[in-house]
Amino acid sequence: ITQRKAAEARLKTVLAQQEALLDNAIVGIVLLKQRVIIQCNRRFEEMFGYGKDEMLGYTSRILYRTDKDYQAIGERAYGALERGEVYLEEIQLQRKDGSVFWGYLHGRALDWNRPYEGSVWIYTDRTEQRQAQEHLRLAASVFENAAEGIMITDRKATILAANRAFSKITGYAIDEVIGKKPNLLKSNRHDIAFYQQMWWVLIHEDKWSGEIFNRRCNGDVYPEQ
């Protein structure tokens, strides 16, 4: 039975490696049969707030807010699997305590001809990414609707962005200044020493504030803070 024992040892090694991969994955992984949870990794349980093996035997209905959501997602997901496709969607999910979060659902069938008999699903928590996107959206809204003119440059002082107030004050359309240098506003009212001192302060103290004369698109010189 030496050969059989060697095969059993290899199988145990492979299973141990697969279990280690599953338990150390940063995404939730679950095996469903007839939409019943057959096996899942620890990250999947943690993501939804359940204890070890607590979810086994339950249908995936426990992952969704309502019966309607469960039904609709099932129709979309298994419809895709029946067509031989991989399914991917960003959806709202529900934890054990009832709290709702956004996540990615990614699934594929073990056998494309019988998707309900076995499918593997990967769940990814999108909460942090969603929050970051919302913060960016709010920041963009503040930038665009600020009463003060705002111009953003890179480290080489190339203009990357400007808001509507900047365009209104200077007379330049936003697309006219993108890729240009701020010296297109230069009025020639200040000597080199003025700009050298301004940039020295900006570089060494991270900020500069003061009055400066600039020139609008139409050639008018104006003072600004």
Side-chain angles (χ1 to χ4, degrees), residues 39-201:
Q39 184 180 357
C40 61
N41 68 346
R42 190 70 191 105
R43 174 59 186 145
F44 180 78
E45 295 167 331
E46 292 170 348
M47 187 182 303
F48 288 93
Y50 289 86
K52 184 173 176 57
D53 297 336
E54 187 179 357
M55 306 175 80
L56 301 184
Y58 285 92
T59 69
S60 55
R61 167 65 183 86
I62 62 174
L63 311 179
Y64 305 104
R65 298 177 304 163
T66 64
D67 291 335
K68 184 178 179 180
D69 286 349
Y70 175 65
Q71 181 69 25
I73 292 167
E75 290 175 0
R76 293 197 300 271
Y78 283 92
L81 299 190
E82 287 173 344
R83 294 190 298 271
E85 301 171 359
V86 173
Y87 182 73
L88 178 64
E89 184 181 4
E90 186 177 24
I91 57 175
Q92 283 192 312
L93 300 165
Q94 181 173 273
R95 298 185 182 91
K96 182 181 180 181
D97 62 8
S99 60
V100 175
F101 67 100
W102 282 94
Y104 266 137
L105 173 59
H106 181 193
R108 64 182 301 135
L110 299 181
D111 182 347
W112 299 114
N113 296 314
R114 300 188 304 161
Y116 279 96
E117 293 305 307
S119 54
V120 176
W121 302 88
I122 296 175
Y123 287 79
T124 307
D125 190 340
R126 289 271 298 159
T127 302
E128 291 185 4
Q129 292 90 335
R130 275 267 175 167
Q131 290 174 344
Q133 288 173 351
E134 179 63 14
H135 291 156
L136 287 174
R137 188 190 66 79
L138 291 173
S141 178
V142 171
F143 171 77
E144 194 56 40
N145 294 289
E148 296 81 8
I150 302 174
M151 172 179 63
I152 300 174
T153 74
D154 62 14
R155 294 174 64 89
K156 295 181 180 180
T158 300
I159 299 173
L160 302 176
N163 67 350
R164 286 195 294 252
F166 173 89
S167 181
K168 183 178 180 180
I169 292 169
T170 66
Y172 284 97
I174 294 174
D175 58 1
E176 287 184 286
V177 301
I178 302 300
K180 305 289 180 59
K181 302 287 185 180
N183 61 9
L184 63 85
L185 303 174
K186 191 174 179 181
S187 67
N188 295 319
R189 290 281 189 94
H190 305 283
D191 57 19
I192 294 176
F194 174 87
Y195 293 105
Q196 288 177 335
Q197 191 272 341
M198 181 185 73
W199 280 103
W200 189 94
V201 172

